[in-house]
Amino acid sequence: MMSLIQVASLLCVALIVQAFPSRNGWISVMASSTFSHYILAVLYARPKILSLGSDPRYRLPLLIVALIGATAYLSGFPIVIFFGLHHAFNEVYLLDRQCDSRELPGHAKVRTADLFTRLFVYFTIVRHHNHMTWIADELLFAGLAASSLAYVYLLICEQPSITRALRTASFQLIGLAMVAVSFFADIEFLMIVLYHVVFWIFYPLMKISKAGASAITRYLVATFGITAIFLLISPLSALPFSLTAEAFNHQLVVWAFVHITLSLPLSTAHPEWIVRWFRPRLREASQIGTAS
């Protein structure tokens, strides 16, 4: 299912980019849908936000996370790198939470190799971005080759079944295919952002669908409704109060730092130590279980 969502997301990105003759057109759609993604992430995480805000045990972790995000933004840390880390962690740990082999010996090594491979896939694809030119292409290719080989070796050791190994590695295979495409087509950083957002439009549908058709309808109406509102003030709009491309993109970057920072305490698509950091009760239960 995850691979189908990935392929569907890639197809949507291709269609959106092709639908607009001007670059500002698809970027406006990307930015508007990203703002929608930011807002819905907060709305759906409202219970967790209230829980974090009301529990004094979370204050220090939240302060540290806020300082990390603020420092990254104020210091001018490249968003292409900040987002890349967020994107890679999301994909690796989101898939890992659904992996039926995560309790097997050696799985942590597979996951680590998976993470490094995804990072190298991402950075290799965006290697022409102006904030990535400090890394030699040869280093990226070498890192991609080394991490991919390590991932394949460790995965085969963990998954003797070729079918299961291929199913587990499907995300990686598609990523490597996109690296190959990047040699013939210009895959921009913002296209990957658009892919990330489209993926996160599709992915929650699996969980929301369990609540019935009305829940799906509310989610889709909210998603596309908020996107439409932002399109009205985007550079694509002819309305007199629409923002310039520079102003719109600036807001996109500002709120990207906020969103990525907030995802650390709110999302489980991160390393276990981060997840446990914001779930003291889970940590305490684990300690009690160990003591007993």
Side-chain angles (χ1 to χ4, degrees), residues 117-175:
T117 303
R118 288 178 202 257
L119 284 170
F120 276 110
V121 163
Y122 169 80
F123 288 124
T124 301
I125 291 174
V126 299
R127 62 190 179 277
H128 299 305
H129 190 279
N130 59 353
H131 283 134
M132 290 297 299
T133 54
W134 58 277
I135 304 179
D137 288 358
E138 292 78 8
L139 287 177
L140 290 173
F141 297 144
L144 178 60
S147 59
S148 298
L149 289 173
Y151 175 69
V152 169
Y153 171 75
L154 292 168
L155 182 62
I156 291 175
C157 290
E158 182 192 61
Q159 301 277 9
S161 167
I162 296 297
T163 303
R164 289 186 64 181
L166 287 173
R167 188 167 62 246
T168 302
S170 58
F171 252 55
Q172 293 288 21
L173 293 173
I174 295 172

Side-chain angles (χ1 to χ4, degrees), residues 47-70:
K48 181 66 188 297
I49 293 172
L50 293 175
S51 174
L52 288 172
S54 62
D55 194 327
R57 291 177 296 180
Y58 294 115
R59 288 173 185 169
L60 180 59
L62 285 173
L63 177 61
I64 293 173
V65 167
L67 287 173
I68 291 172

